[in-house]
C-alpha cells in the first residue's frame, strides 16, 4: 500500500508550525518586556492585580520558598540560582531570571517531548526485531516513519540546549559555578563542550542505527524470497543498538534532564525517563496506525494488532507508575535533605501537574484499558492515547520547569506555541517519511505470521 | 491464541517424531517408574544437609542469635543475604509462567512447571529466614494485624519489613494457586493412567475431578491469563519490596532509588540461572531432551545475558551517581566496596555477574550445554555475593568511623544456609518423582505448530490429516 502525505495534512502541519513560531516569538517578547528597569514596577503591579493569586498569601508563599532555597543552599543542597557573582541575588533578579527562562524552557520541554517519542519508538522497533516478534512486522513501516524524527528532533534538542545555555542549565553559567562548590565538583562531567560532544555521540549512534535498519528493511522488500540476509543484518544491529541505547539513554537523561537540577541526583532517573519515552512512543504508534487504517491504507492491520499495542500502552503505563512511585516513595521515605528538595518544590509549586500527571498516566490507562474488548476499539485507544501523551508532556514539564522558572510556571502561549511548532514539525517529517516506501515491509520473514496474527 | 501459520525460520520446540501419546508417555515415565540408586544417593545427601540445617536452626533459636557472626554494627548478614538470594531465585518461576505467557513465548511450556516448582521451594527457604533471624521468633505472629488483648495493639504499616510479610505470603499463595491450577490436567492424566489403586486415589484427589470439557478448558485459559496478569505486577512488587528493606534506609550504599528495578533484574538473572542449572540435569536424568532442547537453554541464556547486562548498567549507574552526587559517604561506600577489606567479594560479584553473562553473545558458547551449566552456577554464586556485598559492605563501614567493624560468619550461619539448600533439593527431588515435570497439556497445544515432525510435514506441503 502506498501512502502520500496529503496536501491538507502538509498545510495543516505548516500552519501549526507557523502558529507555533508566532507563539514562541510572542513568548520571548513578552518575557523580555520585563527587564532590570521595570522589574520592580512589574512585581508591584503583579501584587496589585493578584486577586486570583490571593495577593498576600502569594507574596508570603514566595518568600517562604525563597527562604527555603537559601536555607537549602546553606546545607549545600539547593538553590544555585539564588547566588551569583558572589553576592546574594535580590528577589527582583531571581524573578527576572525565571521570567526570562520561561520561553526557553517551554521550547525545550516540547522539543524533548516529541524527540523522546521517536526515540522510544526506535527502541520498541529494535526490541521487536531482536525478539523476533511475529505480530508486529506489519507495523514496522509505521515505526520507521516515526523514527525519521530521531535525527532532526534530537538535533533540535541539542541546539536549544546550546543556545539556551544557562537559561536551562544553570551549571553552564560560569558565575554560578564559580561560587558553587557542589557544581565545581561535578565540572568534570558538567562541562558545556563535553556535554555537546556526548550529545552528538548519542545522536550519531541512534541515527546511524535508524539509517541502517531502514535501509536493510527496504532492501529486504526487494530481496529474493529465500534471502533473509538483510533481515539477519537488522537482527544483529538491533541487538547491538539495544546495548548502545540502554547506556546512552541513561546518560542522556542525566545530561539533558537531570542536570537542570545540578544539585540533585537519583540513580533511577534514566530508567524512569525511559519508561516515559517508551509508553509515549508506543502510544504514537497506535495513534498513527489507527489514523492510517481509518484511511484504508493498512488493510493487513487488524484489531488484534491494535489490541496488542493497547496492551503495551496499558502495561508500560503501569511500569512507568511503578518507577515513578519507586523514585518518589524512596526519597520521601528517607527524607534526606539533599534529595528531598526536588520533590518539595514540586509538591509546593506544582501540586496539580505533579499529582495530576499520575492520574493521567496511571489511573486513566489502568481503568480505560483494563477491559480487553475496549482495547480493540479504535476510538477508545485514541482517547486513552491522547490522555497518555498529555500526561507524559506534563511529566517532562514537571522535570524541567521547577528548575528553570520555579513557581512562575503556567501553560500559556509560549508552552502551547512550542507544542504546536514541534507537533507540526513532527507530523510533517513523520508523514513525509511514511510516504517514501510501501506501508507493508513485505520481505520480512515473519510478515505472513504478522498478517495472519489473531489474538 | 496464535495463528496456525508459523514462519519457517522458527526452529522446532519439540524435537523427534513425537505424537500426543509420546508426550504423555515421556512425561509420565519418571512418575510411574521407580527411583534409581542415583536418586536415592542424592536425596540422602540433601536430606542430611536439611537435617543439619534444622539442627542449626534449633540451636540458634534455643541459644540465641549470638551464635551467628552478627555484631552490633553488622546486624544483618547471611540471614538476609540468603533470604534475598532465595527470593530472587524464586522469581524466575513466575517470570517464566506469567511474563512469558503474556508475551506468548511458546518455549516456556517445556520449562514452566519446573520453574514454578523451583519458585515455590525457593520461597519456602526464603520464608524461613525472616522468622529465624528474629531474636524472639515465638512472637513472630505479632507482625500480623490481629485484634488482640493489648488494647488492640497494631503493627506499624510504615516498615518495609512488614510489607515483606505481605509480599512474601501473597507471592507464595498466588504462585501456589497458579501452579496447582496448571497441574490439574496433568494430574488428571496421571490419574487416568494409574494402574495401582493407591496412586489412582492420590492423583484423583489432587486433580480435583478434572474432566477436560470444553467449558473447563475455556475457563482454565482465562484463569491462567488473569493469574499471569496478576502475577506479573506481583513478581515485580515482591522483589521491589524486598529491595525497599535497604533502599528506604539512609545507609550510604543502601539508599538509592535504582534498587527496585535493579533487584528485580537481578532476581530474573539469578532465577533463570537456577532454572538452567536444574533443567540441564533434569533433561538428562529424565530423558526429556526432546522437550527441553538446546534452543530452550539458548533462550534462557539470552535472558541471562540480557538481565545480566541490565544489572551491569545498574552497577555502573550506581558508581557514576555515587561520584556525581558529591556525597562523600556515598563515594566512600563504593570505594570501600572496590578496595576495602571485602574487595574480593565485590570483585567476585562484578566478574561473575557482569562479565560472565557476556560470553553468551557467542552462539557457540550459549548453545553449549556444559558451558551453560558452568555459567549458571557462576551466576548464582555471583548473585549471592551481590546481596552479601550490598548488605555487609554498606553496614560495616558507614557514617561513624568509631562504629566500623568486620563481619565473619560462624558455622551456624553457614550451616543454616546449607540446610536450606538441602531442604530445597529434598523438595525438588521429591517433586521430580511425583509430579509431571513438564506441562504435557500445554506441550500438546504447540505440538502441531512447533513440533519437528509436524513442521516437516507442513514444509513438504503434505497434509496433517491422519497424523494424530
Amino acid at each position: 500500500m502506498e501512502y502520500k502525505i496529503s496536501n491538507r495534512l502538509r498545510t495543516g502541519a505548516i500552519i501549526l508550525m507557523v502558529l507555533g513560531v508566532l507563539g514562541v516569538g510572542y513568548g520571548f517578547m513578552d518575557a523580555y518586556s520585563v527587564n532590570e528597569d521595570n522589574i520592580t514596577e512589574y512585581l508591584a503591579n503583579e501584587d496589585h492585580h493578584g486577586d486570583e493569586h490571593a495577593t498576600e498569601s502569594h507574596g508570603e508563599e514566595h518568600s517562604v520558598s525563597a527562604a527555603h532555597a537559601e536555607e537549602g543552599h546553606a546545607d549545600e543542597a539547593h538553590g544555585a540560582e539564588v547566588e551569583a557573582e558572589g553576592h546574594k541575588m535580590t528577589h527582583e533578579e531571581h524573578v527576572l531570571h525565571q521570567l526570562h527562562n520561561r520561553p526557553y524552557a517551554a521550547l525545550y520541554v516540547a522539543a524533548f517531548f516529541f524527540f523522546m517519542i521517536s526515540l522510544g519508538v526506535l527502541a520498541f522497533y529494535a526490541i521487536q526485531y531482536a525478539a523476533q516478534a511475529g505480530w508486529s512486522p506489519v507495523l514496522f513501516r509505521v515505526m520507521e516513519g516515526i523514527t525519521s524524527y530521531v535525527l532532526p528532533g534530537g538535533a533540535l534538542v541539542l541546539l536549544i540546549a546550546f543556545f539556551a545555555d544557562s537559561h536551562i542549565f544553570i551549571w553552564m553559567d560560569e558565575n554560578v559555578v564559580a561560587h558553587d562548590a557542589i557544581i565545581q565538583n561535578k565540572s568534570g562531567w558538567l562541562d558545556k563542550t563535553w556535554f555537546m560532544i556526548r550529545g552528538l555521540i548519542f545522536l550519531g549512534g541512534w541515527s546511524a542505527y535508524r539509517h541502517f535498519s531502514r535501509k536493510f528493511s527496504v532492501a529486504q522488500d526487494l530481496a529474493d524470497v529465500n534471502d533473509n540476509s538483510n533481515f539477519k543484518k537488522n537482527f544483529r544491529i538491533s541487538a547491538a543498538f539495544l546495548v548502545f541505547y540502554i547506556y546512552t539513554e541513561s546518560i542522556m537523561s542525566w545530561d539533558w534532564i537531570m542536570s537542570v537540577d545540578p544539585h540533585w541526583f537519583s540513580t533511577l532517573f534514566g530508567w524512569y525517563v525511559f519508561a516515559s519515552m517508551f509508553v509515549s512512543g508506543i502510544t504514537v504508534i497506535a495513534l498513527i496506525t489507527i489514523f492510517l487504517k481509518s484511511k484504508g491504507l493498512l488493510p493487513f492491520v487488524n484489531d488484534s494488532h491494535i489490541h496488542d499495542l493497547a496492551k503495551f500502552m496499558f502495561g508500560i503505563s503501569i511500569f512507568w507508575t511503578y518507577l515513578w512511585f519507586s523514585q518518589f516513595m524512596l526519597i520521601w521515605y528517607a527524607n534526606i535533605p539533599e534529595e528531598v528538595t526536588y520533590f518539595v518544590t514540586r509538591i509546593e509549586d506544582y501540586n496539580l501537574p505533579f499529582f495530576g500527571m499520575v492520574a493521567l498516566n496511571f489511573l486513566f490507562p489502568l481503568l480505560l484499558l483494563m477491559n480487553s474488548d475496549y482495547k480493540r476499539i479504535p476510538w477508545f485507544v485514541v482517547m486513552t492515547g491522547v490522555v497518555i501523551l498529555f500526561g507524559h508532556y506534563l511529566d517532562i514539564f514537571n522535570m524541567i520547569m521547577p528548575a528553570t522558572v520555579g513557581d512562575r510556571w503556567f501553560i500559556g502561549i509560549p508552552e502551547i506555541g512550542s507544542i504546536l511548532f514541534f507537533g507540526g514539525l513532527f507530523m510533517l517529517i513523520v508523514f513525509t517519511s511514511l510516504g517514501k516506501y510501501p506501508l507493508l515491509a513485505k520481505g520480512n520473514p515473519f510478515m505472513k505470521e504478522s498478517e495472519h496474527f489473531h489474538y | 491464541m496464535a495463528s496456525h501459520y508459523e514462519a519457517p525460520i522458527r526452529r522446532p520446540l519439540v524435537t523427534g517424531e513425537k505424537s500426543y501419546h509420546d508426550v504423555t508417555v515421556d512425561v509420565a515415565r519418571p512418575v510411574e517408574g521407580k527411583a534409581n540408586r542415583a536418586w536415592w544417593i542424592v536425596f540422602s545427601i540433601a536430606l542430611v544437609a536439611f537435617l543439619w540445617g534444622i539442627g542449626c536452626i534449633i540451636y540458634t533459636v534455643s541459644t540465641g542469635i549470638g551464635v551467628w557472626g552478627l555484631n552490633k554494627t553488622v546486624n544483618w548478614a547471611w540471614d538476609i543475604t540468603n533470604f534475598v538470594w532465595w527470593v530472587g531465585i524464586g522469581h524466575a518461576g513466575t517470570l517464566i509462567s506469567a511474563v512469558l505467557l503474556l508475551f506468548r513465548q511458546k518455549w516456556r511450556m517445556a520449562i514452566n512447571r519446573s520453574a514454578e516448582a523451583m519458585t515455590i521451594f525457593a520461597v519456602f527457604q526464603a520464608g524461613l529466614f525472616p522468622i529465624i533471624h528474629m531474636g524472639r521468633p515465638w512472637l513472630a505472629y505479632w507482625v500480623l494485624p490481629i485484634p488482640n488483648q493489648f488494647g488492640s495493639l497494631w503493627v506499624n504499616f510504615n516498615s518495609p519489613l512488614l510489607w515483606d510479610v505481605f509480599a512474601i505470603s501473597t507471592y507464595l499463595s498466588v504462585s501456589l494457586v497458579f501452579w496447582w491450577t496448571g497441574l490439574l490436567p496433568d494430574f488428571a492424566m496421571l490419574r487416568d493412567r494409574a494402574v495401582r489403586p493407591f496412586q489412582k486415589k492420590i492423583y484423583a484427589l489432587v486433580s480435583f475431578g478434572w474432566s477436560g470439557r470444553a467449558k473447563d478448558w475455556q475457563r482454565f485459559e482465562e484463569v491462567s491469563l488473569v493469574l499471569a496478569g496478576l502475577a506479573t505486577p506481583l513478581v515485580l512488587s515482591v522483589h521491589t519490596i524486598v529491595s525497599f528493606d535497604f533502599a528506604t534506609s539512609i545507609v550510604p550504599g543502601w539508599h538509592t532509588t535504582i534498587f527496585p528495578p535493579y533487584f528485580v533484574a537481578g532476581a530474573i538473572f539469578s532465577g533463570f540461572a537456577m532454572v538452567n542449572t536444574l533443567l540441564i540435569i533434569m533433561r538428562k536424568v529424565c530423558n526429556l531432551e526432546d522437550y527441553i532442547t538446546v534452543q530452550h537453554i539458548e533462550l534462557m541464556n539470552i535472558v541471562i545475558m540480557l538481565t545480566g547486562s541490565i544489572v551491569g548498567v545498574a552497577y555502573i549507574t550506581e558508581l557514576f551517581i555515587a561520584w556525581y552526587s558529591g556525597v562523600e559517604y556515598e563515594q566512600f561506600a563504593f570505594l570501600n566496596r572496590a578496595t576495602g577489606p571485602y574487595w574480593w567479594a565485590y570483585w567476585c560479584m562484578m566478574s561473575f555477574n557482569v562479565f560472565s553473562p557476556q560470553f553468551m553473545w557467542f552462539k557457540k558458547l550459549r548453545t553449549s550445554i556444559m558451558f551453560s551449566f558452568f555459567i549458571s552456577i557462576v551466576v548464582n554464586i555471583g548473585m549471592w555475593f551481590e546481596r552479601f556485598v550490598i548488605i555487609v559492605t554498606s553496614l560495616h563501614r558507614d557514617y561513624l568511623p568509631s562504629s566500623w567493624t568486620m563481619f565473619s560468619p560462624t558455622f551456624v550461619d553457614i550451616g543454616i544456609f546449607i540446610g536450606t539448600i538441602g531442604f530445597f533439593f529434598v523438595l525438588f527431588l521429591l517433586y521430580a518423582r511425583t509430579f509431571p515435570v513438564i506441562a504435557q497439556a500445554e506441550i500438546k497445544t504447540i505440538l502441531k505448530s512447533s513440533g519437528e515432525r509436524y513442521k516437516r510435514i507442513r514444509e513438504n506441503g503434505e497434509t496433517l490429516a491422519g497424523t494424530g
Side-chain angles (χ1 to χ4, degrees), chain B residues 16 31 63 67 72 105 115 134 137 166 168 208 240 244 275 311 321 356 374 376 396 408 440 458 460:
Chain B
V31 182
T63 312
V67 300
K72 283 188 206 163
Q105 298 296 306
M134 290 179 174
F166 299 126
I168 301 292
F208 296 175
T240 291
F244 284 167
V275 175
V311 167
I321 298 290
S356 71
F374 171 70
S376 71
H396 88 124
S408 48
Q440 52 90 28
R458 251 182 294 127
N460 294 342

Side-chain angles (χ1 to χ4, degrees), chain B residues 123 160-173 234 237-239 241-242:
Chain B
V123 175
L161 299 183
L162 183 67
W163 308 339
D164 268 346
V165 174
F166 299 126
I168 301 292
S169 51
T170 311
Y171 185 54
L172 182 61
S173 346
L234 189 62
S237 65
V238 167
H239 218 62
I241 287 169
V242 168

